[in-house]
Amino acid sequence: MLRNLNLDDFGIYEGISETIVTTSRGWAMNAAPMGIIRRKDKLFMRIFKDSTTYNNVLSEKILVANVIWDPIIIVSATFSDLNDSEFETVNFNSRTFVSLKKAQCWVAFECTNTKLTSESLVTELVPVRTHINKCMIRAPNRGLFGIIEACIHATRYRLTNDGKYLKLIKAYGDIVEKCGGENEKEAMNLLYSYL
Amino acid sequence: MLRNLNLDDFGIYEGISETIVTTSRGWAMNAAPMGIIRRKDKLFMRIFKDSTTYNNVLSEKILVANVIWDPIIIVSATFSDLNDSEFETVNFNSRTFVSLKKAQCWVAFECTNTKLTSESLVTELVPVRTHINKCMIRAPNRGLFGIIEACIHATRYRLTNDGKYLKLIKAYGDIVEKCGGENEKEAMNLLYSYL
């Protein structure tokens, strides 16, 4: 455990931080968007069943939360497998874990006090290793936020087939079109291709 | 003009960047949320009539765009006047301009080729001075974006009194409640107090 770690330094503030969680099992590496819940200095994550992250966390009891603002990585990690070339491997305390090369920073966590429910697991996260690649200033962009919201609604749409989510996705697509840059627009087109 | 300036370094990417624009005229300092439109390396801003920013830009032909993620500042600047203590004054080329102390960074622009329409002005922005206070990493937080969206809809609501905007504000309020930290929740309560 890292004592006296200031989670703010790694972009993880009170509330829910949207990160890309990377896990591995054997040679297989996985990335998926996940929210870290922070209440004071306690961190939790809820991971739904039947996902690779769920299985990897149960088996390995470790995960890496990557802070990343790349809209194409966010969409790709939501709907498909990232290329192996997007990952890098870190060895620490005779364990191997994986992170994303393009992350601004990442924090590796041990998963403890894991509780299983019928639908998901809830696990407490204890930071064991951190890394900062680069600090980038970025003004808020509504298009980038639109990508994150559209990913959430698209996931729900694929689970339920409920048309109300399509309307929401389209509304966020309009925000991306108006406010996003080329990367956000490309990411939105990629998202549409998965519906 | 600053040649070879990489706008990315100051958080201003392609698309529309949400910033807080600070202007002044005589002793009076003003802050208001404004989007900077970037297409390649050209920057523009559209400023609606009957605002202090509009009058100050027409008179002084200079503005400062502050990159800031503080939800309380964002809400306060949308609906009221910031305290003078939030500003700082910079002298440059025998001109005085103002920025926000809490900004991660700011860019001062000269406003050129200003075109007036019946409702607004559109001006080209030429960077003349930059400053970085601190680089902070921050994972995306849906609550923080919820504050920005709610501010936009609340401004429309105050202009039109149309109830559809209230519904949208409430929907974003729910996201803030679920995903925001204490700062975002306080900012949302402040926003509700202006409706």
Side-chain angles (χ1 to χ4, degrees):
Chain A
M1 183 181 172
L2 293 166
R3 289 183 197 282
N4 302 321
L5 178 72
N6 187 350
L7 290 161
D8 289 5
D9 293 342
F10 301 91
I12 299 168
Y13 285 67
E14 284 263 322
I16 304 181
S17 294
E18 303 301 326
T19 66
I20 304 286
V21 164
T22 43
T23 54
S24 63
R25 208 169 157 192
W27 295 102
M29 301 184 279
N30 189 261
M34 298 272 158
I36 295 187
I37 305 159
R38 177 174 166 194
R39 295 194 196 108
K40 303 264 164 77
D41 285 324
K42 283 273 188 191
L43 298 171
F44 307 88
M45 192 175 281
R46 187 176 183 202
I47 304 170
F48 286 94
K49 237 179 178 167
D50 301 324
S51 66
T52 308
T53 307
Y54 180 97
N55 293 329
N56 289 357
V57 164
L58 275 190
S59 145
E60 306 299 319
K61 296 175 184 57
I62 200 159
L63 62 81
V64 174
N66 299 266
V67 175
I68 191 162
W69 285 85
D70 183 313
I72 294 166
I73 295 272
I74 292 169
V75 171
S76 303
T78 305
F79 300 107
S80 67
D81 293 328
L82 294 188
N83 282 333
D84 281 0
S85 63
E86 298 285 359
F87 294 87
E88 61 193 351
T89 301
V90 183
N91 294 305
F92 169 67
N93 269 4
S94 55
R95 300 198 62 172
T96 298
F97 47 84
V98 293
S99 64
L100 292 180
K101 283 181 192 162
K102 286 186 186 158
Q104 281 197 56
C105 72
W106 53 255
V107 183
F109 294 103
E110 248 178 51
C111 305
T112 63
N113 293 328
T114 302
K115 307 265 186 305
L116 301 180
T117 71
S118 57
E119 292 174 333
S120 62
L121 66 80
V122 176
T123 188
E124 231 181 286
L125 302 176
V126 179
V128 290
R129 175 106 183 214
T130 63
H131 181 70
I132 292 180
N133 276 329
K134 58 193 163 190
C135 190
M136 284 165 59
I137 294 182
R138 176 137 202 189
N141 179 298
R142 295 175 66 207
L144 193 48
F145 158 69
I147 292 290
I148 294 173
E149 294 298 309
C151 281
I152 291 166
H153 295 301
T155 305
R156 290 173 184 160
Y157 176 67
R158 281 159 47 115
L159 285 171
T160 63
N161 225 23
D162 187 334
K164 76 176 175 190
Y165 295 119
L166 274 188
K167 275 194 193 164
L168 286 163
I169 293 164
K170 181 68 181 53
Y172 285 110
D174 291 345
I175 293 179
V176 172
E177 198 51 45
K178 183 180 164 203
C179 304
E182 288 313 313
N183 281 348
E184 286 76 28
K185 289 174 191 173
E186 187 184 333
M188 195 68 207
N189 285 334
L190 185 61
L191 184 151
Y192 284 134
S193 75
Y194 286 110
L195 294 183
Chain B
M1 183 182 170
L2 294 167
R3 290 183 196 281
N4 301 321
L5 178 73
N6 186 351
L7 289 161
D8 289 7
D9 293 344
F10 300 91
I12 298 169
Y13 285 68
E14 285 262 322
I16 304 182
S17 294
E18 303 301 327
T19 65
I20 303 285
V21 164
T22 43
T23 54
S24 63
R25 209 170 157 190
W27 296 102
M29 302 183 278
N30 189 259
M34 297 274 158
I36 295 187
I37 304 160
R38 176 174 166 195
R39 294 195 197 111
K40 303 265 165 73
D41 285 324
K42 284 271 188 193
L43 299 171
F44 306 88
M45 192 175 284
R46 188 177 183 200
I47 304 171
F48 286 93
K49 237 179 177 167
D50 301 325
S51 66
T52 308
T53 307
Y54 179 96
N55 294 329
N56 288 357
V57 164
L58 274 190
S59 145
E60 306 298 319
K61 297 176 183 57
I62 200 158
L63 63 80
V64 174
N66 298 268
V67 175
I68 191 163
W69 285 85
D70 184 313
I72 294 166
I73 295 273
I74 292 169
V75 171
S76 302
T78 304
F79 300 106
S80 67
D81 294 327
L82 294 188
N83 283 332
D84 281 0
S85 62
E86 299 285 359
F87 294 87
E88 60 192 351
T89 301
V90 183
N91 293 305
F92 169 66
N93 270 2
S94 57
R95 299 198 63 172
T96 298
F97 46 83
V98 293
S99 64
L100 292 180
K101 283 182 193 162
K102 286 185 185 158
Q104 280 197 58
C105 72
W106 53 256
V107 183
F109 295 102
E110 248 178 52
C111 306
T112 63
N113 292 327
T114 302
K115 307 264 186 304
L116 300 181
T117 71
S118 56
E119 292 174 332
S120 62
L121 65 80
V122 176
T123 189
E124 231 181 286
L125 302 176
V126 178
V128 290
R129 173 104 184 216
T130 63
H131 181 71
I132 292 180
N133 276 328
K134 59 194 164 189
C135 190
M136 284 166 58
I137 294 181
R138 176 137 204 191
N141 179 299
R142 295 176 65 208
L144 192 47
F145 277 106
I147 291 290
I148 294 173
E149 295 297 313
C151 281
I152 291 166
H153 294 302
T155 305
R156 291 173 183 160
Y157 176 67
R158 279 159 47 116
L159 285 170
T160 63
N161 224 23
D162 186 334
K164 76 177 174 189
Y165 295 119
L166 275 187
K167 273 194 192 164
L168 286 162
I169 294 164
K170 180 68 179 55
Y172 285 110
D174 290 347
I175 292 179
V176 172
E177 197 51 44
K178 184 181 163 200
C179 303
E182 288 313 313
N183 282 348
E184 286 77 27
K185 289 175 190 172
E186 188 184 332
M188 195 68 208
N189 285 334
L190 185 61
L191 184 151
Y192 284 133
S193 76
Y194 285 110
L195 295 183

